[in-house]
Amino acid sequence: MTTSERVVELLNQAALKPSDEKLTVLKQVQELIINKDPSLLDNFLDEMIAFQTDKSIEVRKFVIGFIEEACKRDNELLLRLIANLNMLLKDESVNVVKKAILTLTQLYKVTLQCLVRSKTLSDMQEACWDLVTQMKGDVLSSLDSENDGIRTHAIKFTESLIITLSPRTSDSDTPKRQEGDISLDKVPKDHSYIRYDVLCEEGKSALDKLLKFMVHPAISSINLTTALGSLATIARQRPMFMSEVVQAYETLHANLPPTLAKSQVSSVRKNLKLHLVAVLKHPCSLEFQGQISTLLLDLGMPQSEITRFTPEGREQRKRPRHEQYTEGKKVKNATDKEPIEDDEDKEEPAPNSAPKPSAPPVAQSAIDVTAEFLHPLLTPENVANLVLISMVYLPDVMPASFQATYTPVESAGKDAQIKHLARLMATQMTAAGIGPGLEQRKAREEDVGKEEDNDEDSVSKDRLIKRKLPPMGLGQAISVVGGYSDKVSSDAAPATKRLPEPIVPTAQTKLSAAGGRKKVFRLSDVVQPLSEAQIDQLTSKAVKRILHSEKAIAQSGMSHVRVKLLSRLVTQFEGMMKEEVLEFILADIRSRSELAFSLLYQEYNTYLSQLPTGLLDSYDQCLYTLLSSLQEKPEQRDGLFTKLVLEAPLITESALEVIRRYCEDDSRVYLGMTTLKELIIKRPSRQFQYLHVLLDLSSHEKEKVRTTALAFLKRMYEKDQLRDYIEKFALTYMQLLVHPNPPSLLFGADKDTEVAAPWTEETVRQCLFLYLSLLPLNHQLVHELASVYTEAIADIKRSVLRAIEQPIRGMGMNSPELLLLVENCPKGAETLVTRCLHILTDKVPPSPELVERVRDLYQKRVPDVRFLIPVINGLEKNEVIQALPKLIKLNPIVVKEVFNRLLGTQHSEGSSSVSPLTPGDLLIALHNIDSTKCDMKSIIKATNLCFGEKNVYTSEVLAVVMQQLMEQSPLPMLLMRTVIQSLTMYPRLIGFVMNILSRLILKQVWKYPKVWEGFVKCCQRTRPQSYSVLLQLPAAQLTSVFERCPELREPLFHHVQSYTPHQQAHIPNSIMAVLEAKKKPEPKLVQPVMEEESFCHDAHCLIIATMQRNVVRERERERPLQQQQRG
Amino acid sequence: MPSHPLRVAVVCSSNQNRSMEAHNFLSKRGFDVRSFGTGTHVKLPGPAPDKPNVYDFRTTYEQMYSDLVRKDKELYTQNGILHMLERNKRIKSKPERFQNCKDRFDLVITCEERVYDQVLEDLSSREQETLQPVHVINVDIQDNHEEATLGAFLICELCQCIQHSDDMENEMDELIQEFEDKSNRPFLHTVCFY
């Protein structure tokens, strides 16, 4: 098997194997085609490179290694492979990128060397170089990478680049292995596309970059360590940069990055020490021995050891600075003058580089200037003052870096130490941007700027000028601590000839100053500002997504986070989002109430956080929207409205308005008012505001709303803290009644107020609702009503009287306040009091106290008999009888009522009412009313009322009444009327009536003309039963009867004739004579007695009458017995 | 996971106790580990503090073992030296000096500051070639059996964490800070380049 066949086989295997085995196989291939048989390399190159897209990181790294090996083996391959390396340099894996950087570090040198040596010129080579240059730039800029490892590799690349792009000199301490490496001095100055000056410039700017990178305050400890090492390497291999390196070390030592941890500080210091020693060992360090040993002392290295590392002074080697410069200038002048010479001699670079500065020129930086300025000022006194002042600013805790770096000051007060101190202070001052050094530099910078403008054009022409740039540029870089850079100072080195040319373009200064900080990631650098509209759109979309991811989030159990997020977002940003979120909530408020609350609280929170200038608008709007949509939703049972109201941190005016509307909704009155009540009770600070709403509702036009409100108010009225307010409100409202027209207050704000609108029943009631419902709870209020009543117009009075029934009844007649009212009865309030009395006694009999008050009132102050009516049943019998004449003269309806009361016919259940008068008594009293006090007509009407009550005036009652009346003397005028009436009502009383009539005869009834008249009438009506009565009359009276009623005689005569003879014998002759006399009138006998006036004066008759009455009485005593026996 | 197994070196002064304990431990956990000493000689405790047993790095553990058995078997059994040598024999034949080893590592762990300094000095004195980074971490461990065991635990844990980090160099700083807090001891850490 040939090697070629073997390679083919291995490659085939590799394609199929898993990555770790693949690697082994590929390594074998590499060995075969690079070392064993390089002729095969070209053949299989493509196959190998194809693995650069392998998914295994290791394989890709291997490919990079292979590229490196292959290129080193055959430089021509570079042209083909460099593009592949470029691809891998942008690999997604950091490990691959790191490997690629390492390889580029090597291949950069290889490429340069190869291209420089190449005799032929080709586009491909040039393109290759361009690409390498570009890759170099990429790696340099990855000093700002976010990845620590990549930065580390970039530093190492930079280090190598600096060394390559600077000339090697005789005192360069070059490692053996790198003897053959290319360096600037080997680059011809006349190469067609590799330009010496450009490379030189690139090398310097790379160092610049590295130095800037190192002073970055947030540098990581590994990067710092790496950079320190790199600087040491640079200083040793290119002593011309030693000054910059030492200065950088110095700066670092004085300003260790504050981000380092304690142990990192120790690590870094250890490294610093190590590298300082390495630099110190270099023979060129002589010039810097002072600085280095001070640093080492500070780092804790004993003097003896320092001395050990210090190389022997080789004074002769060291050339004065100005000489170097002169020499450098000479060289440059030489080359400048004779550029063609270089072209001729290929070996020229070596001698050219030899005279290059062996020791770097010392550029006096701002620090130096400031240090020199400070040095004489550091007297013991000044230092002591400085220490005292700075005591104030000492931190409480010793910073880690200080603790680690502090070493006791050994040589305090000696000149060296003072110098050191001055330098330290100068470093800090320069960093802070103060000090004479900076001022000088600024002044110089301005000069330079001016010159630069002029020389702008010449810069590109004059390469040599550019070549002189580096030391100064570097000096500037090193002194940068806080963004200030320094330029060359010629004052400190008078020997040095100041170069006339401007050196550093201002633009470069700025760039590098900015570069010092570019490691910090700033969002603003990488993002483009969005337009206002875009921002709005994006935010609203983001919020929408959160909003509509409800279910997904709920499933993951993080809804609370979503809710919080939403509410915060929405409150922070103005605009449409708020409405959207609210709409979303309202779409299903029941399940999204949490969000609603969160939003609400967040709004409130925002308001609070902006106090005292914050506006409630946003919160108000949120609450209002939520509440009103809840209010407008038709069905709503779970009390979310209540919850929202009660849990809202603040109820705004508009929210209160919504609550009010809610309460006015027929179907939610109760819930609404319950909520309102809770508010009143649980938010004491604003309870009156809420209470006012409820109070307003208490006169609402809808009855349901009103009654509910009143019910709630009554309950609340029991609470002391609310009592006064409610009461005041009620009274204020009631007192509106004194106005002649209803005030506009009574009409809702929406209604147009008509000034002249008259009081209506409606408006009057509106003023009274609350008051009247409170009245039973607080009787004292009744007096207010009375005083309002007296002032009110008649219409209102009537309405009031109608309205008060319920509450007055509720108060009851035992209410002391009510009794007081009756007692005091303000003038003008009589009707009111009467009405009260009526209401009180409507269903129940009056209490003695009430009667007492009324009686007092009646007797002492207002003799209006109408007061008595309500309490009439509470009065004494004689009082009633006394009042009767007045009473029956009243309006018939009132009289009827009085009788109803007296007769107990008023109310069916009124059995408890015990009238002071029995019905009989009443009737009798009526009969006995003095006709001078009352007209007969009224009395008759009154008796008629009695007869109307058939249930009360039964035949028995009437019989008793008649009996008693009959026994009175004189006989009451209306007696016979009553008798006839009774007989009409109860015909079965006929027997009793006959008896009455008979007895009236005994009482000589004919002496009372009216009664007599009635008697005759009665007889006439009751015939034939009355015949026997008539027969008992004396003849004269019988005659009188017949005269009045002639039609009686005939039947009576016949009646007597039908008697048995025996019976007829009992009839006196005189009677018979009257009967038979037919039409023989005997007016002379009868006439005188008919005259009422003569009656009293006829003493004779009187005696007879008396005698007869006595007889009658005797008979009467026997009669009942007989009647009873008969019955 | 890094793409290739971490190449670890554990270094103490004599490549006997601390580095070998960690070596033992790490190799059992499957690390690609080697151990070294940095001293000029290999020193083992002798009958008195000022009379150590001194060997050069070419002496095998076996030879040391027989030498000590011959000298005072009881003493060296008692202080555990023989036991230690027994173990070391099983791991490798003889101690190695770090400065003499030109192999490359990803991670060098030293067991005391002096050793760390020596390693650093050695590494930085070498000529740079590939510029491959090597992280050097110092974990202070007292030179006795117990501390060596505890130290080995710590080292092993540290190595595992580094091995498992996705991007070792990027996470190293934080990782070490974490370990410092956890173990309550300072770790020196630096990076060198081959």
Side-chain angles (χ1 to χ4, degrees), chain A residues 1101-1118:
Chain A
C1101 288
L1102 190 63
I1103 294 161
I1104 295 169
T1106 312
M1107 286 166 61
Q1108 276 187 336
R1109 196 184 295 157
N1110 289 343
V1111 177
V1112 171
R1113 273 184 188 158
E1114 271 165 52
R1115 280 199 195 161
E1116 261 181 81
R1117 266 174 230 130
E1118 295 159 13

Side-chain angles (χ1 to χ4, degrees), chain A residues 296-395:
Chain A
L296 283 171
L297 271 175
D298 273 358
L299 288 167
M301 187 179 269
Q303 184 63 51
S304 57
E305 222 170 311
I306 297 173
T307 320
R308 191 154 57 82
F309 291 127
T310 314
E312 296 289 309
R314 284 175 291 176
E315 207 56 50
Q316 51 273 55
R317 274 219 58 178
K318 191 197 161 202
R319 296 168 188 170
R321 255 175 268 150
H322 64 272
E323 240 178 86
Q324 283 173 15
Y325 258 97
T326 325
E327 194 179 10
K329 202 172 178 185
K330 272 184 202 156
V331 170
K332 280 153 208 160
N333 288 340
T335 46
D336 206 15
K337 282 172 197 160
E338 307 163 319
I340 303 145
E341 281 176 16
D342 292 342
D343 201 20
E344 286 170 332
D345 191 356
K346 292 268 149 47
E347 295 306 304
E348 241 219 22
N352 215 7
S353 64
K356 274 249 133 192
S358 52
V362 176
Q364 200 187 24
S365 66
I367 298 176
D368 295 325
V369 177
T370 311
E372 269 173 38
F373 165 78
L374 286 174
H375 186 212
L377 296 176
L378 292 173
T379 60
E381 196 184 348
N382 281 343
V383 173
N385 284 336
L386 277 176
V387 169
L388 287 177
I389 291 165
S390 55
M391 281 295 185
V392 182
Y393 301 104
L394 286 185

Side-chain angles (χ1 to χ4, degrees), chain B residues 116-148:
Chain B
Y116 173 84
D117 290 344
Q118 282 166 338
V119 167
L120 241 57
E121 202 181 332
D122 175 60
L123 284 176
S124 56
S125 70
R126 296 183 191 184
E127 282 182 11
Q128 290 188 1
E129 200 180 336
T130 63
L131 301 184
Q132 257 185 359
V134 50
H135 288 265
V136 186
I137 300 172
N138 179 57
V139 181
D140 267 325
I141 301 170
Q142 281 176 42
D143 199 357
N144 61 51
H145 299 308
E146 294 74 21
E147 286 296 320

